[in-house]
Protein backbone atom coordinates (compact mmCIF):
# COMPACT_ATOMS: atom_id res chain seq x y z
CA UNK A 1 0.00 0.00 0.00
CA UNK A 2 1.43 3.33 -1.07
CA UNK A 3 1.36 6.23 1.38
CA UNK A 4 0.18 9.69 0.43
CA UNK A 5 2.63 12.59 0.44
CA UNK A 6 1.25 15.62 2.22
CA UNK A 7 2.44 19.18 1.86
CA UNK A 8 2.51 21.68 4.71
CA UNK A 9 -0.98 23.00 3.95
CA UNK A 10 -2.51 19.50 3.86
CA UNK A 11 -0.91 18.77 7.22
CA UNK A 12 -2.27 22.01 8.68
CA UNK A 13 -5.75 21.21 7.34
CA UNK A 14 -5.63 17.72 8.86
CA UNK A 15 -4.51 19.05 12.25
CA UNK A 16 -7.34 21.58 12.33
CA UNK A 17 -9.95 19.04 11.16
CA UNK A 18 -8.72 16.59 13.77
CA UNK A 19 -9.35 19.22 16.44
CA UNK A 20 -12.72 20.22 14.97
CA UNK A 21 -14.16 18.10 12.17
CA UNK A 22 -17.03 20.57 11.80
CA UNK A 23 -14.82 23.58 11.11
CA UNK A 24 -16.27 25.48 8.12
CA UNK A 25 -14.23 25.72 4.93
CA UNK A 26 -14.10 29.52 5.10
CA UNK A 27 -12.49 29.36 8.59
CA UNK A 28 -10.03 26.72 7.40
CA UNK A 29 -9.22 28.85 4.36
CA UNK A 30 -8.47 31.87 6.55
CA UNK A 31 -6.08 29.79 8.68
CA UNK A 32 -4.10 28.29 5.80
CA UNK A 33 -4.16 31.28 3.44
CA UNK A 34 -6.13 29.68 0.59
CA UNK A 35 -9.54 30.36 -0.89
CA UNK A 36 -12.54 28.43 0.37
CA UNK A 37 -12.81 26.55 -2.93
CA UNK A 38 -9.12 25.54 -2.81
CA UNK A 39 -9.59 24.20 0.72
CA UNK A 40 -12.70 22.29 -0.34
CA UNK A 41 -10.76 20.73 -3.25
CA UNK A 42 -7.91 19.72 -0.96
CA UNK A 43 -10.22 18.16 1.64
CA UNK A 44 -12.12 16.30 -1.09
CA UNK A 45 -8.80 15.05 -2.53
CA UNK A 46 -7.75 13.83 0.94
CA UNK A 47 -11.06 11.96 1.17
CA UNK A 48 -10.66 10.44 -2.31
CA UNK A 49 -7.12 9.29 -1.46
CA UNK A 50 -8.42 7.66 1.72
CA UNK A 51 -6.40 9.90 4.06
CA UNK A 52 -9.65 11.21 5.55
CA UNK A 53 -11.88 8.18 5.91
CA UNK A 54 -14.97 9.88 7.31
CA UNK A 55 -16.35 12.66 9.45
CA UNK A 56 -18.26 11.36 12.44
CA UNK A 57 -19.39 12.08 15.98
CA UNK A 58 -17.55 9.99 18.57
CA UNK A 59 -19.54 8.89 21.61
CA UNK A 60 -18.48 7.60 25.00
CA UNK A 61 -20.20 4.21 25.46
CA UNK A 62 -19.99 4.44 29.25
CA UNK A 63 -21.91 7.75 29.26
CA UNK A 64 -24.68 5.89 27.43
CA UNK A 65 -24.68 3.08 29.98
CA UNK A 66 -22.75 0.53 27.90
CA UNK A 67 -20.01 -1.86 28.97
CA UNK A 68 -16.94 -1.63 26.70
CA UNK A 69 -15.03 -4.85 26.11
CA UNK A 70 -11.83 -5.65 24.20
CA UNK A 71 -11.46 -9.19 22.86
CA UNK A 72 -8.17 -10.78 21.84
CA UNK A 73 -9.02 -13.57 19.41
CA UNK A 74 -6.64 -16.34 18.34
CA UNK A 75 -7.69 -17.92 15.07
CA UNK A 76 -6.75 -20.60 12.62
CA UNK A 77 -4.47 -18.39 10.47
CA UNK A 78 -6.19 -19.52 7.27
CA UNK A 79 -9.53 -18.20 8.58
CA UNK A 80 -8.52 -14.87 10.12
CA UNK A 81 -9.87 -12.67 7.30
CA UNK A 82 -13.11 -14.64 7.12
CA UNK A 83 -13.64 -14.34 10.87
CA UNK A 84 -13.00 -10.57 10.78
CA UNK A 85 -15.57 -10.26 7.97
CA UNK A 86 -18.14 -12.20 10.00
CA UNK A 87 -17.64 -9.82 12.93
CA UNK A 88 -17.74 -6.61 10.83
CA UNK A 89 -21.49 -6.23 10.77
CA UNK A 90 -22.23 -7.37 14.30
CA UNK A 91 -24.12 -4.65 16.19
CA UNK A 92 -21.82 -4.84 19.22
CA UNK A 93 -18.51 -4.60 17.37
CA UNK A 94 -17.20 -1.14 16.55
CA UNK A 95 -13.50 -1.69 15.83
CA UNK A 96 -11.54 -4.63 14.42
CA UNK A 97 -7.80 -4.99 13.98
CA UNK A 98 -6.05 -7.87 12.25
CA UNK A 99 -2.55 -8.08 13.61
CA UNK A 100 0.55 -10.09 14.37
CA UNK A 101 1.44 -11.33 17.82
CA UNK A 102 -0.38 -13.34 20.44
CA UNK A 103 -3.82 -12.73 18.93
CA UNK A 104 -4.73 -12.57 15.24
CA UNK A 105 -7.68 -10.25 15.83
CA UNK A 106 -8.51 -7.61 18.42
CA UNK A 107 -12.05 -6.28 18.55
CA UNK A 108 -13.55 -3.50 20.59
CA UNK A 109 -17.20 -3.88 21.39
CA UNK A 110 -19.92 -2.49 23.61
CA UNK A 111 -22.82 -4.14 25.36
CA UNK A 112 -25.93 -2.93 27.18
CA UNK A 113 -25.24 -5.22 30.13
CA UNK A 114 -23.40 -8.34 31.26
CA UNK A 115 -26.13 -10.59 29.81
CA UNK A 116 -25.63 -9.03 26.37
CA UNK A 117 -21.85 -9.52 26.76
CA UNK A 118 -22.28 -13.19 27.74
CA UNK A 119 -24.66 -13.83 24.84
CA UNK A 120 -22.11 -12.42 22.37
CA UNK A 121 -19.31 -14.49 23.89
CA UNK A 122 -21.20 -17.75 24.08
CA UNK A 123 -23.63 -17.53 21.16
CA UNK A 124 -21.51 -15.69 18.61
CA UNK A 125 -17.80 -16.23 19.26
CA UNK A 126 -18.19 -19.87 20.33
CA UNK A 127 -19.93 -20.63 17.04
CA UNK A 128 -17.54 -19.03 14.55
CA UNK A 129 -15.50 -21.68 12.80
CA UNK A 130 -11.78 -21.01 13.09
CA UNK A 131 -11.70 -19.24 16.46
CA UNK A 132 -9.21 -21.22 18.53
CA UNK A 133 -9.63 -19.18 21.72
CA UNK A 134 -10.36 -15.68 22.91
CA UNK A 135 -9.79 -13.50 25.93
CA UNK A 136 -12.02 -10.64 26.96
CA UNK A 137 -11.21 -7.61 29.07
CA UNK A 138 -13.82 -5.19 30.31
CA UNK A 139 -12.66 -1.60 29.92
CA UNK A 140 -12.60 0.13 33.30
CA UNK A 141 -11.20 3.46 32.13
CA UNK A 142 -10.16 5.10 28.88
CA UNK A 143 -6.80 6.82 29.20
CA UNK A 144 -6.61 8.00 25.56
CA UNK A 145 -9.34 7.85 23.00
CA UNK A 146 -8.08 9.33 19.74
CA UNK A 147 -9.22 7.30 16.77
CA UNK A 148 -6.66 8.41 14.20
CA UNK A 149 -3.12 9.57 13.63
CA UNK A 150 -2.65 13.01 15.07
CA UNK A 151 -0.06 15.00 13.19
CA UNK A 152 2.42 16.78 15.45
CA UNK A 153 1.88 20.48 16.00
CA UNK A 154 3.94 22.72 13.73
CA UNK A 155 6.23 23.75 16.58
CA UNK A 156 6.91 20.05 17.37
CA UNK A 157 8.22 19.45 13.84
CA UNK A 158 11.14 21.86 14.09
Amino acid sequence: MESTTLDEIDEKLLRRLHEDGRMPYDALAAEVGLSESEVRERVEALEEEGVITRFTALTDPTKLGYISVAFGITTDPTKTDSIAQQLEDHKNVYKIWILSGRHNIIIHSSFRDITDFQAFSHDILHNIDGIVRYESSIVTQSALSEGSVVLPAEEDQE
Side-chain angles (χ1 to χ4, degrees), residues 87-102:
L87 293 169
E88 275 179 8
D89 295 325
H90 196 278
K91 67 178 182 170
N92 297 99
V93 176
Y94 61 91
K95 195 168 262 194
I96 301 173
W97 292 283
I98 296 175
L99 38 91
S100 63
R102 181 176 178 176

Side-chain angles (χ1 to χ4, degrees), residues 56-92:
T56 188
L58 300 175
T59 58
D60 181 343
T62 59
K63 300 281 188 202
L64 300 170
Y66 285 82
I67 301 167
S68 291
V69 180
F71 287 89
I73 302 171
T74 304
T75 68
D76 170 340
T78 65
K79 298 183 178 181
T80 301
D81 290 340
S82 168
I83 291 167
Q85 288 173 349
Q86 290 177 64
L87 293 169
E88 275 179 8
D89 295 325
H90 196 278
K91 67 178 182 170
N92 297 99

Side-chain angles (χ1 to χ4, degrees), residues 25-152:
Y25 287 125
D26 61 339
L28 284 168
E31 286 200 26
V32 299
L34 296 176
S35 70
E36 184 177 341
S37 63
E38 289 171 312
V39 166
R40 182 180 312 275
E41 287 172 13
R42 281 179 175 257
V43 170
E44 287 172 359
L46 290 167
E47 286 179 285
E48 287 171 16
E49 292 172 15
V51 173
I52 296 174
T53 56
R54 66 181 169 171
F55 291 93
T56 188
L58 300 175
T59 58
D60 181 343
T62 59
K63 300 281 188 202
L64 300 170
Y66 285 82
I67 301 167
S68 291
V69 180
F71 287 89
I73 302 171
T74 304
T75 68
D76 170 340
T78 65
K79 298 183 178 181
T80 301
D81 290 340
S82 168
I83 291 167
Q85 288 173 349
Q86 290 177 64
L87 293 169
E88 275 179 8
D89 295 325
H90 196 278
K91 67 178 182 170
N92 297 99
V93 176
Y94 61 91
K95 195 168 262 194
I96 301 173
W97 292 283
I98 296 175
L99 38 91
S100 63
R102 181 176 178 176
H103 301 292
N104 306 89
I105 298 173
I106 299 284
I107 63 171
H108 280 188
S109 51
S110 58
F111 303 95
R112 278 266 181 219
D113 53 34
I114 202 72
T115 302
D116 199 18
F117 161 65
Q118 288 175 320
F120 176 80
S121 300
H122 297 288
D123 299 340
I124 304 300
L125 294 181
H126 279 249
N127 292 307
I128 295 178
D129 183 45
I131 292 181
V132 176
R133 74 175 170 277
Y134 66 86
E135 298 172 8
S136 60
S137 298
I138 294 176
V139 177
T140 59
Q141 180 179 350
S142 179
L144 179 65
S145 187
E146 292 295 330
S148 63
V149 172
V150 181
L151 296 171

